Amino acid sequence: MGGVRAGGLMRVLAVRTVLPEHRYEQRQITEAVAGSVRTDERLLERLHSATQVSGRNLALPIEDYLGLDGFTAANDTYIATALDLTERAVRQALDGAGLDPAEVDHLVFCSSTGVATPSLDAALAQRVGLREDVRRLPVFGLGCAAGAAGLSRVHDYLLAWPEQVAVLVCVELCSLTVQRDDASIANLVGSGLFGDGAAAVVAAGDRRTVPVRRPGGPGRGPRIVATGSRLYPGTERLMGWNVGEHGFRIVLAADLVDHVEATLARDVTAFLRRHGLSPEEITSWVCHPGGPKVIDTIAEAFGLGDGELDLTWESLRKAGNLSSVSVLNVLEETIARRPRPPGSPGVLMALGPGFSAEMALLRW
């Protein structure tokens, strides 16, 4: 398993998630999709209901999506909205960490639902007031796995520069990728499952002095002590985009869950074994809410019960699958509501295009 390394003690200081202001119940979204995509309405309702998503926040008012007449309009909306959401997320996370923008040394920016050159992190850095010598790393194409992968890359950086501060930003506007001329099962499922949002993580190396936590605020997050990656050759058909003049057309294979079921427990167990742990010793599971079947597969693979994935389920039901943002949203809620005793081990993981798995070993 590539990418496994221990020894650094990256500290998560704050995580903040920001959602767009346009909130809709799932039935409203189903009705809107039925009015724009030519398909069997009963099939659409069944697919949307199966996601178990109760509602989502969208980048635009729902009636404005009919005005997006092509990829250019959708991508322009992505750029403007993504910058607004990420600016709010970074400012809130820095405030939660008790740090100023000028103290940030490294910025990692992940997204897979829009494109821009210069990359959006350049504009974001100037909006927030980061230093002109801030080091930037834009990452595209990791999809749902990017939240976990981004944390791993921040960990790698702070392992080399333990006296510094890094910020991870993820933003996904999945609603802008829904295709109105595509009645495929993948597009219909995507229109009912994926949501919009942004998240920011502020982290520091183990030699960085950080402010005392503000009274009444959420506690510090865990330390990330090791990371792991797993790429499955020949599985690129399972998840991703078909990119063309239409923009991003979703690829979502029906047998994706079969692959997760066949490989995940083995690979996560091997990752933990490298660090002297077993799944039974893990006290917190911070898992990306890929969908009901994926969450059920994770629970079954590791024998999880007693509400151990409640926050993952809650994130899915309230906001949908936010792609790279989701696992960070679950991490934020875990820090605020489910802290563990000092020294307790945890696992953070997400799955994404490649097909791939990204993991991090946590210590509270």
Side-chain angles (χ1 to χ4, degrees):
M1 180 177 294
V4 178
R5 186 177 182 185
L9 294 176
M10 177 190 115
R11 295 169 292 170
V12 175
L13 302 183
V15 187
R16 295 293 185 272
T17 307
V18 173
L19 303 179
E21 62 182 2
H22 311 293
R23 172 79 183 177
Y24 298 94
E25 298 304 307
Q26 183 78 322
R27 62 173 178 77
Q28 295 174 283
I29 297 174
T30 303
E31 291 171 0
V33 174
S36 62
V37 178
R38 295 180 180 177
T39 186
D40 185 325
E41 291 188 23
R42 288 174 297 179
L43 171 64
L44 178 67
E45 290 173 359
R46 187 165 67 249
L47 293 173
H48 278 204
S49 177
T51 66
Q52 299 190 37
V53 176
S54 63
R56 284 171 285 164
N57 295 65
L58 303 182
L60 292 172
I62 201 164
E63 62 273 11
D64 289 358
Y65 283 86
L66 291 176
L68 298 177
D69 57 359
F71 175 63
T72 299
N75 199 63
D76 287 347
T77 301
Y78 163 84
I79 291 171
T81 306
L83 281 174
D84 288 342
L85 293 177
T86 54
E87 179 181 2
R88 289 167 54 196
V90 172
R91 290 189 185 279
Q92 290 180 22
L94 286 172
D95 184 64
L99 295 173
D100 294 324
E103 296 180 84
V104 176
D105 302 288
H106 187 47
L107 176 64
V108 178
F109 187 98
C110 299
S111 187
S112 296
T113 49
V115 293
T117 303
S119 52
L120 291 188
D121 52 287
L124 175 64
Q126 295 173 71
R127 280 197 182 196
V128 174
L130 304 187
R131 301 194 315 267
E132 292 182 1
D133 65 346
V134 67
R135 299 175 183 181
R136 299 181 293 114
L137 177 62
V139 179
F140 176 83
L142 291 180
C144 298
L151 281 175
S152 294
R153 302 293 75 79
V154 168
H155 168 267
D156 295 345
Y157 179 86
L158 293 175
L159 194 65
W161 302 94
E163 73 284 356
Q164 294 194 3
V165 170
V167 171
L168 166 66
V169 180
C170 291
V171 60
E172 305 292 1
L173 302 180
C174 304
S175 68
L176 297 174
T177 70
V178 174
Q179 303 290 311
R180 294 200 299 272
D181 63 347
D182 181 5
S184 68
I185 296 297
N187 189 57
L188 298 181
V189 170
S191 71
L193 177 62
F194 293 99
D196 299 342
V201 180
V202 179
D206 61 359
R207 295 183 191 172
R208 173 74 183 207
T209 300
V210 297
V212 176
R213 184 174 66 88
R214 298 181 179 185
R220 297 290 192 202
R223 296 174 183 266
I224 295 182
V225 298
T227 66
S229 300
R230 184 70 165 89
L231 178 63
Y232 303 98
T235 60
E236 58 272 11
R237 66 175 181 81
L238 292 178
M239 179 187 291
W241 299 123
N242 281 328
V243 182
E245 62 182 14
H246 45 71
F248 299 130
R249 194 181 298 273
I250 193 170
V251 175
L252 198 61
D255 58 343
L256 186 151
V257 175
D258 295 337
H259 178 80
V260 174
E261 187 174 19
T263 60
L264 188 64
R266 177 196 69 201
D267 292 331
V268 173
T269 299
F271 169 67
L272 293 174
R273 190 180 299 122
R274 290 174 181 263
H275 302 287
L277 292 167
S278 66
E280 293 73 24
E281 296 175 273
I282 300 303
T283 64
S284 57
W285 294 84
V286 181
C287 300
H288 169 73
K293 291 182 180 179
V294 173
I295 300 173
D296 284 341
T297 299
I298 293 171
E300 183 176 351
F302 300 107
L304 304 181
D306 299 323
E308 290 175 284
L309 294 179
D310 277 2
L311 296 181
T312 293
W313 277 112
E314 183 179 301
S315 180
L316 177 70
R317 287 171 176 144
K318 287 186 175 181
N321 181 341
L322 301 172
S323 191
S324 65
V325 176
S326 277
V327 75
L328 303 183
N329 177 242
V330 177
L331 177 61
E332 178 184 7
E333 293 300 316
T334 303
I335 292 169
R337 297 162 55 188
R338 302 284 177 84
R340 294 296 190 258
S344 300
V347 165
L348 180 146
M349 63 181 177
L351 308 169
F355 187 71
S356 60
E358 292 287 340
M359 295 155 270
L361 176 62
L362 315 177
R363 285 284 181 183
W364 290 95

